[in-house]
Amino acid sequence: MSSKKSAPANKARPARAAKTAAQGKPAAKAKPTPQAAPKATTAKTGKTTGKAAQAKAATQAAADAVPAGPRPTRLTAAAVLAAVEATVLVGMGVYVLVMGLTGDPDSPRQAEMLGVTVLALAALPLAAARGLWLRRRWSRGPAMITQLMALPVAWTLVSNGGGLIAVGVATAVAAFAVLALLINPTATEALGIGPRDA
């Protein structure tokens, strides 16, 4: 009895399949949507971009981090000398500016411009001195640039002769001293600068 019932059922299956095909119904296999692949790519790109941003932030934090341990004496001396240079420049700038405003120079406008220029130049060694004192890695470059700029000034002062010779010699000695202190490996390590970075 069961074999007779199963025979008509088997015949019905092909008939249903033919009827479905005639009606134009799609096959059972589902095609993947074209948006699936770009979503996966976008997700991967987002993860990669996030990792790159995190790595960049970590590198920046490491560069700004203050190295551990006490500040070396050489670095302290370099910071103090740079601060003294900045103070001298500020004094000279204020003097020239005041003399341009209240005195009787040949050209008051040129005197005022010179005073303002000297005051602006004093900002570089002042920022470098503060950075060296706080052991900031970036401060070494401005400090060295300041000393290299001071050497021609010292030569000019010595060449003019008279009482400016002593000022020129003092400027040259201070510039060479700061350069020697900043090139020293102890100072570079204290600023977090490795051999390759120096």
Side-chain angles (χ1 to χ4, degrees), residues 55-153:
K56 187 176 179 181
T59 306
Q60 184 66 27
D64 293 339
V66 178
R71 185 189 318 105
T73 308
R74 289 183 176 91
L75 194 59
T76 303
V80 169
L81 283 174
V84 168
E85 290 172 345
T87 305
V88 170
L89 281 174
V90 168
M92 286 176 57
V94 169
Y95 175 76
V96 171
L97 190 60
V98 169
M99 291 304 294
L101 292 171
T102 61
D104 190 20
D106 295 336
S107 175
R109 183 173 293 180
Q110 285 184 355
E112 293 164 12
M113 286 300 297
L114 179 62
V116 171
T117 303
V118 172
L119 286 174
L121 289 174
L124 186 63
L126 190 62
R130 184 175 184 276
L132 291 172
W133 186 266
L134 298 175
R135 299 173 66 182
R136 298 288 186 254
R137 184 177 181 173
W138 58 264
S139 62
R140 184 173 180 259
M144 294 185 77
I145 290 170
T146 302
Q147 308 318 312
L148 293 174
M149 289 170 58
L151 291 175
V153 173

